[in-house]
Amino acid sequence: DERHVICCHTRNHRRLASSLTSEEFHAEIIESKTELEAELGHDVAGFCWVGGEEYTYSAEGAEAIRRAGYTYSFLTRSSSWFSDTNPHQLHRTSADLTKGLEGVRLGHSGWHDLRYFASRHRINRLVS
């Protein structure tokens, strides 16, 4: 379906903390892209970081994502996107329906953008 995009989310759903070895980064980010592309029969341009806890972001992971050739990547610190937004710093807002419709509305009201402001900037500096 042309209305959907499949992105990579690591090989083993591992958080990409700086404690991983270069071989683990390679397997989780680069090899997983190659395998997914072979299965799908087309390029996979997007990557979605696993987790969202601040420790799960690392300069090493960001470098491996760029080296693998991903065009963009999604993070989880909720922010609006603009024409000058770094395509490797696309922060998404969760639509967690387990929190009910009011929880989803709150999450998309801009409150999360404010809540994650400081950590989002720390993460953006780390993965830039």
Side-chain angles (χ1 to χ4, degrees):
D1 188 336
E2 292 181 17
R3 296 174 295 168
H4 294 87
V5 175
I6 296 176
C7 296
C8 193
H9 193 54
T10 73
R11 177 189 263 169
N12 299 299
H13 205 253
R14 292 191 65 189
R15 275 124 170 95
L16 301 174
S18 60
S19 59
L20 294 182
T21 67
S22 59
E23 292 80 17
E24 289 170 318
F25 280 116
H26 185 83
E28 295 299 331
I29 297 169
I30 298 170
E31 290 178 14
S32 63
K33 182 180 194 300
T34 302
E35 292 168 2
L36 187 56
E37 289 173 341
E39 184 68 27
L40 295 172
H42 62 77
D43 185 46
V44 174
F47 184 85
C48 299
W49 287 77
V50 175
E53 305 87 358
E54 197 166 336
Y55 79 89
T56 66
Y57 297 100
S58 64
E60 298 89 349
E63 176 57 31
I65 289 167
R66 287 189 293 274
R67 198 172 53 250
Y70 292 101
T71 307
Y72 55 91
S73 53
F74 294 103
L75 300 89
T76 60
R77 286 299 191 227
S78 189
S79 182
S80 298
W81 303 347
F82 302 96
S83 60
D84 63 344
T85 299
N86 182 330
H88 284 285
Q89 295 177 350
L90 301 174
H91 290 273
R92 62 191 192 269
T93 302
S94 175
D96 185 353
L97 294 176
T98 64
K99 299 193 183 335
L101 187 54
E102 288 306 311
V104 172
R105 283 189 182 129
L106 177 64
H108 288 78
S109 70
W111 181 83
H112 284 262
D113 294 8
L114 293 173
R115 176 180 177 208
Y116 292 118
F117 180 83
S119 68
R120 183 174 58 246
H121 286 281
R122 285 190 300 271
I123 291 167
N124 283 351
R125 280 193 305 274
L126 183 66
V127 302
S128 64

